[in-house]
Amino acid sequence: SALRRLLDSTYNAWCNFRSAFRRATGHESTAPYESLDATAALRLFSAPKYATAIFRLIYCTLSCTGALILFRSADFWPIYVGGKPTSSTKNCWDLSGTIAIGSLDSDFDHMNVALRFFFLAQASYQVHSLFFHIVSMILLLTYGRKKDGAIVSMKSSMRSYLRPLVEHFITLCLIFGAYIFSGLRRLGAVVMFTLEFSSIFLQILQICINSPDNSILRRPRVISVVHRYVVLPIFIYCRFLVFPKFWYSAAFESEEWLDQIEKAFMPGSALVLYIFFNGLIMLIFGLNLVFFRRLLFHPLLNEMASQKMNVSRSRSFCQ
């Protein structure tokens, strides 16, 4: 039958492209793993990491540029993220705005249309990234084992996938939850801009680490300068100096807005919202601590530092 022929054609196409697909996602090498040394194995998986970092760099750059163009003149966009000196996160909690249901969502600062497009782009990217990690985990479980049960993959365990998976899931919850309420929608836009601005430079570091061997970006001195004098200072500023200000706004500046929510809905609804969103913000802050620790003690950067120290000792010994 026609359905049978279609299924057979689909299966044959999958068999033909399966190996190429697994190699493209970093789950299979063109040569047996046992025949590769550590350096060759590392370079084998640098290409997909390099391509992923370029894609994320382009997205984060476009997203942050668009946010600045759309919101830098808004009253809720504070000066420490490129806004006006008179702007403040207090203006996120205008009492005339409630929830995104018809006329209840008052466009008190004429930013609702721009915010909707911004949140749509953010949600699209997070959903794409979430399903990318889910597919990677499925491929790892399906094809990433030898006969003796040992995992054959660019990742040594499922934990390497779980951390970004949890990050994207938490961010999606924050996006969808914040979109419903006008005040949280405005604060959420500032939060996402701040996180993505620091992510721009994290992706630049990833590009340097995974660039081709003959590239100037691959030089240890370039990677060291980018890491120490660009990535670390911006990461600390955005995620440990600016980000807590948003938690303060959600925890304390929103008091009158929460009182309004309590009166508009059932008793206890304001407390549920308060715990939910502040809990998500604290989870993101906890993930920032984990990322910062890994950034400080990155295995490749530590290896480069050790090699540099060994070279210096050798030169001193020869002299």
Short mmCIF file of all heavy atoms in Angstrom, two decimals, residues 147-183:
data_model
loop_
_atom_site.label_atom_id
_atom_site.label_comp_id
_atom_site.label_asym_id
_atom_site.label_seq_id
_atom_site.Cartn_x
_atom_site.Cartn_y
_atom_site.Cartn_z
N LYS A 147 28.51 -2.54 23.73
CA LYS A 147 27.93 -3.81 24.16
C LYS A 147 28.15 -4.06 25.64
O LYS A 147 27.36 -4.71 26.30
CB LYS A 147 28.51 -4.96 23.33
CG LYS A 147 28.10 -4.91 21.86
CD LYS A 147 28.68 -6.08 21.11
CE LYS A 147 28.25 -6.03 19.63
NZ LYS A 147 28.82 -7.17 18.87
N ASP A 148 29.29 -3.58 26.16
CA ASP A 148 29.58 -3.80 27.57
C ASP A 148 28.90 -2.78 28.47
O ASP A 148 29.09 -2.78 29.68
CB ASP A 148 31.09 -3.79 27.83
CG ASP A 148 31.74 -2.48 27.38
OD1 ASP A 148 31.00 -1.58 26.92
OD2 ASP A 148 32.97 -2.36 27.49
N GLY A 149 28.11 -1.84 27.88
CA GLY A 149 27.36 -0.88 28.68
C GLY A 149 28.05 0.44 28.89
O GLY A 149 27.49 1.35 29.47
N ALA A 150 29.30 0.59 28.41
CA ALA A 150 30.03 1.84 28.60
C ALA A 150 29.47 2.91 27.67
O ALA A 150 29.13 2.64 26.52
CB ALA A 150 31.51 1.64 28.31
N ILE A 151 29.35 4.11 28.17
CA ILE A 151 28.81 5.21 27.38
C ILE A 151 29.86 5.72 26.42
O ILE A 151 31.00 5.99 26.79
CB ILE A 151 28.32 6.34 28.29
CG1 ILE A 151 27.10 5.87 29.07
CG2 ILE A 151 27.95 7.57 27.48
CD1 ILE A 151 26.55 6.90 30.01
N VAL A 152 29.49 5.86 25.16
CA VAL A 152 30.37 6.42 24.14
C VAL A 152 29.74 7.73 23.69
O VAL A 152 28.78 7.73 22.94
CB VAL A 152 30.52 5.46 22.94
CG1 VAL A 152 31.43 6.06 21.90
CG2 VAL A 152 31.05 4.12 23.41
N SER A 153 30.27 8.83 24.17
CA SER A 153 29.67 10.11 23.84
C SER A 153 30.64 11.21 24.16
O SER A 153 31.63 11.01 24.86
CB SER A 153 28.39 10.31 24.64
OG SER A 153 27.90 11.62 24.43
N MET A 154 30.35 12.41 23.66
CA MET A 154 31.15 13.56 24.00
C MET A 154 30.93 13.95 25.45
O MET A 154 31.73 14.67 26.03
CB MET A 154 30.79 14.74 23.11
CG MET A 154 29.36 15.18 23.24
SD MET A 154 28.92 16.52 22.15
CE MET A 154 29.49 17.91 23.08
N LYS A 155 29.89 13.47 26.07
CA LYS A 155 29.60 13.73 27.47
C LYS A 155 29.84 12.47 28.26
O LYS A 155 29.51 11.38 27.83
CB LYS A 155 28.15 14.18 27.67
CG LYS A 155 27.77 15.41 26.88
CD LYS A 155 28.49 16.63 27.37
CE LYS A 155 28.02 17.88 26.67
NZ LYS A 155 28.73 19.08 27.11
N SER A 156 30.43 12.62 29.44
CA SER A 156 30.74 11.45 30.25
C SER A 156 29.55 10.97 31.04
O SER A 156 29.54 9.85 31.52
CB SER A 156 31.89 11.78 31.21
OG SER A 156 31.53 12.84 32.06
N SER A 157 28.52 11.77 31.22
CA SER A 157 27.35 11.35 31.97
C SER A 157 26.17 12.23 31.61
O SER A 157 26.31 13.27 30.98
CB SER A 157 27.62 11.45 33.48
OG SER A 157 27.71 12.79 33.88
N MET A 158 24.98 11.82 32.05
CA MET A 158 23.76 12.57 31.78
C MET A 158 23.73 13.89 32.54
O MET A 158 22.99 14.79 32.19
CB MET A 158 22.54 11.73 32.17
CG MET A 158 22.37 10.47 31.35
SD MET A 158 22.03 10.84 29.62
CE MET A 158 20.39 11.51 29.77
N ARG A 159 24.55 14.03 33.58
CA ARG A 159 24.55 15.26 34.35
C ARG A 159 24.96 16.46 33.51
O ARG A 159 24.57 17.59 33.78
CB ARG A 159 25.48 15.13 35.55
CG ARG A 159 24.97 14.20 36.63
CD ARG A 159 25.95 14.09 37.77
NE ARG A 159 27.22 13.54 37.32
CZ ARG A 159 28.30 13.40 38.10
NH1 ARG A 159 28.24 13.80 39.35
NH2 ARG A 159 29.40 12.88 37.63
N SER A 160 25.75 16.24 32.48
CA SER A 160 26.18 17.33 31.62
C SER A 160 25.00 17.94 30.86
O SER A 160 25.05 19.09 30.44
CB SER A 160 27.24 16.83 30.63
OG SER A 160 28.36 16.33 31.31
N TYR A 161 23.95 17.14 30.65
CA TYR A 161 22.76 17.64 29.97
C TYR A 161 21.72 18.17 30.95
O TYR A 161 20.93 19.04 30.60
CB TYR A 161 22.12 16.53 29.13
CG TYR A 161 22.94 16.12 27.93
CD1 TYR A 161 23.77 15.01 27.98
CD2 TYR A 161 22.88 16.85 26.75
CE1 TYR A 161 24.51 14.63 26.88
CE2 TYR A 161 23.63 16.49 25.65
CZ TYR A 161 24.44 15.37 25.72
OH TYR A 161 25.18 15.01 24.63
N LEU A 162 21.71 17.63 32.15
CA LEU A 162 20.67 18.00 33.09
C LEU A 162 20.78 19.45 33.55
O LEU A 162 19.77 20.12 33.74
CB LEU A 162 20.70 17.06 34.31
CG LEU A 162 20.22 15.63 34.06
CD1 LEU A 162 20.39 14.79 35.31
CD2 LEU A 162 18.76 15.63 33.62
N ARG A 163 21.99 19.97 33.73
CA ARG A 163 22.16 21.33 34.22
C ARG A 163 21.57 22.36 33.26
O ARG A 163 20.73 23.18 33.66
CB ARG A 163 23.65 21.62 34.47
CG ARG A 163 23.92 23.03 34.95
CD ARG A 163 25.41 23.27 35.12
NE ARG A 163 26.16 22.96 33.93
CZ ARG A 163 26.28 23.75 32.87
NH1 ARG A 163 25.64 24.92 32.85
NH2 ARG A 163 26.99 23.39 31.84
N PRO A 164 21.94 22.35 31.95
CA PRO A 164 21.28 23.31 31.04
C PRO A 164 19.80 23.02 30.85
O PRO A 164 19.01 23.94 30.61
CB PRO A 164 22.05 23.15 29.73
CG PRO A 164 22.72 21.82 29.83
CD PRO A 164 23.00 21.60 31.27
N LEU A 165 19.40 21.75 30.98
CA LEU A 165 17.99 21.41 30.86
C LEU A 165 17.18 22.08 31.96
O LEU A 165 16.13 22.66 31.72
CB LEU A 165 17.81 19.89 30.91
CG LEU A 165 16.45 19.33 30.51
CD1 LEU A 165 16.23 19.52 29.01
CD2 LEU A 165 16.34 17.86 30.88
N VAL A 166 17.70 22.01 33.19
CA VAL A 166 17.03 22.64 34.33
C VAL A 166 17.01 24.16 34.15
O VAL A 166 16.01 24.83 34.43
CB VAL A 166 17.74 22.27 35.64
CG1 VAL A 166 17.20 23.09 36.80
CG2 VAL A 166 17.54 20.78 35.94
N GLU A 167 18.11 24.72 33.65
CA GLU A 167 18.18 26.17 33.43
C GLU A 167 17.11 26.63 32.47
O GLU A 167 16.39 27.61 32.72
CB GLU A 167 19.56 26.54 32.90
CG GLU A 167 19.71 28.02 32.58
CD GLU A 167 20.94 28.33 31.77
OE1 GLU A 167 21.67 27.39 31.40
OE2 GLU A 167 21.16 29.51 31.50
N HIS A 168 16.97 25.94 31.33
CA HIS A 168 15.97 26.34 30.33
C HIS A 168 14.55 26.14 30.86
O HIS A 168 13.67 26.94 30.57
CB HIS A 168 16.17 25.54 29.05
CG HIS A 168 17.42 25.89 28.31
ND1 HIS A 168 17.70 27.17 27.88
CD2 HIS A 168 18.48 25.14 27.92
CE1 HIS A 168 18.87 27.19 27.26
NE2 HIS A 168 19.35 25.97 27.27
N PHE A 169 14.33 25.08 31.64
CA PHE A 169 13.00 24.84 32.18
C PHE A 169 12.60 25.95 33.17
O PHE A 169 11.48 26.45 33.13
CB PHE A 169 12.96 23.48 32.87
CG PHE A 169 11.62 23.14 33.45
CD1 PHE A 169 10.57 22.74 32.63
CD2 PHE A 169 11.39 23.23 34.82
CE1 PHE A 169 9.32 22.43 33.15
CE2 PHE A 169 10.14 22.93 35.35
CZ PHE A 169 9.11 22.53 34.52
N ILE A 170 13.53 26.35 34.04
CA ILE A 170 13.25 27.41 35.00
C ILE A 170 12.99 28.74 34.27
O ILE A 170 12.07 29.48 34.61
CB ILE A 170 14.43 27.56 35.99
CG1 ILE A 170 14.51 26.33 36.90
CG2 ILE A 170 14.26 28.81 36.85
CD1 ILE A 170 15.71 26.33 37.81
N THR A 171 13.81 29.01 33.25
CA THR A 171 13.62 30.25 32.49
C THR A 171 12.28 30.27 31.77
O THR A 171 11.61 31.30 31.72
CB THR A 171 14.76 30.41 31.46
OG1 THR A 171 16.03 30.32 32.13
CG2 THR A 171 14.67 31.76 30.78
N LEU A 172 11.85 29.12 31.23
CA LEU A 172 10.55 29.05 30.58
C LEU A 172 9.41 29.31 31.57
O LEU A 172 8.45 30.01 31.25
CB LEU A 172 10.37 27.68 29.92
CG LEU A 172 10.81 27.57 28.46
CD1 LEU A 172 10.66 26.13 27.98
CD2 LEU A 172 10.02 28.51 27.57
N CYS A 173 9.54 28.73 32.76
CA CYS A 173 8.52 28.99 33.79
C CYS A 173 8.45 30.47 34.12
O CYS A 173 7.36 31.04 34.28
CB CYS A 173 8.84 28.18 35.06
SG CYS A 173 8.61 26.40 34.87
N LEU A 174 9.61 31.11 34.23
CA LEU A 174 9.65 32.54 34.53
C LEU A 174 9.05 33.35 33.39
O LEU A 174 8.30 34.31 33.62
CB LEU A 174 11.10 32.97 34.78
CG LEU A 174 11.32 34.42 35.21
CD1 LEU A 174 10.66 34.69 36.55
CD2 LEU A 174 12.81 34.73 35.29
N ILE A 175 9.34 32.97 32.14
CA ILE A 175 8.82 33.71 30.99
C ILE A 175 7.30 33.62 30.92
O ILE A 175 6.60 34.63 30.80
CB ILE A 175 9.46 33.17 29.69
CG1 ILE A 175 10.93 33.60 29.61
CG2 ILE A 175 8.71 33.70 28.46
CD1 ILE A 175 11.68 32.97 28.45
N PHE A 176 6.78 32.40 31.00
CA PHE A 176 5.33 32.22 30.88
C PHE A 176 4.59 32.83 32.06
O PHE A 176 3.52 33.42 31.91
CB PHE A 176 4.99 30.74 30.74
CG PHE A 176 5.36 30.16 29.41
CD1 PHE A 176 6.18 29.05 29.31
CD2 PHE A 176 4.89 30.73 28.24
CE1 PHE A 176 6.52 28.52 28.09
CE2 PHE A 176 5.22 30.21 27.00
CZ PHE A 176 6.05 29.10 26.92
N GLY A 177 5.16 32.68 33.26
CA GLY A 177 4.52 33.26 34.43
C GLY A 177 4.55 34.77 34.42
O GLY A 177 3.56 35.45 34.73
N ALA A 178 5.71 35.34 34.05
CA ALA A 178 5.85 36.80 34.05
C ALA A 178 5.00 37.44 32.97
O ALA A 178 4.53 38.58 33.13
CB ALA A 178 7.32 37.18 33.86
N TYR A 179 4.78 36.74 31.86
CA TYR A 179 4.01 37.33 30.76
C TYR A 179 2.56 37.61 31.17
O TYR A 179 1.94 38.56 30.68
CB TYR A 179 4.03 36.40 29.55
CG TYR A 179 3.22 36.94 28.39
CD1 TYR A 179 3.76 37.91 27.56
CD2 TYR A 179 1.93 36.50 28.15
CE1 TYR A 179 3.03 38.43 26.51
CE2 TYR A 179 1.18 37.01 27.10
CZ TYR A 179 1.73 37.98 26.28
OH TYR A 179 1.00 38.49 25.25
N ILE A 180 2.02 36.81 32.06
CA ILE A 180 0.61 36.95 32.44
C ILE A 180 0.36 38.27 33.16
O ILE A 180 -0.66 38.92 32.96
CB ILE A 180 0.18 35.77 33.33
CG1 ILE A 180 0.32 34.46 32.54
CG2 ILE A 180 -1.24 35.94 33.82
CD1 ILE A 180 0.03 33.23 33.37
N PHE A 181 1.33 38.70 33.98
CA PHE A 181 1.14 39.89 34.82
C PHE A 181 1.97 41.04 34.28
O PHE A 181 3.17 40.90 34.01
CB PHE A 181 1.53 39.58 36.26
CG PHE A 181 0.70 38.49 36.88
CD1 PHE A 181 1.13 37.18 36.84
CD2 PHE A 181 -0.50 38.78 37.50
CE1 PHE A 181 0.38 36.17 37.40
CE2 PHE A 181 -1.26 37.78 38.07
CZ PHE A 181 -0.83 36.46 38.01
N SER A 182 1.35 42.20 34.14
CA SER A 182 2.00 43.34 33.50
C SER A 182 3.24 43.80 34.24
O SER A 182 4.26 44.13 33.63
CB SER A 182 1.01 44.50 33.38
OG SER A 182 0.51 44.86 34.67
N GLY A 183 3.19 43.84 35.57
CA GLY A 183 4.35 44.28 36.33
C GLY A 183 5.50 43.30 36.21
O GLY A 183 6.66 43.69 35.96
#
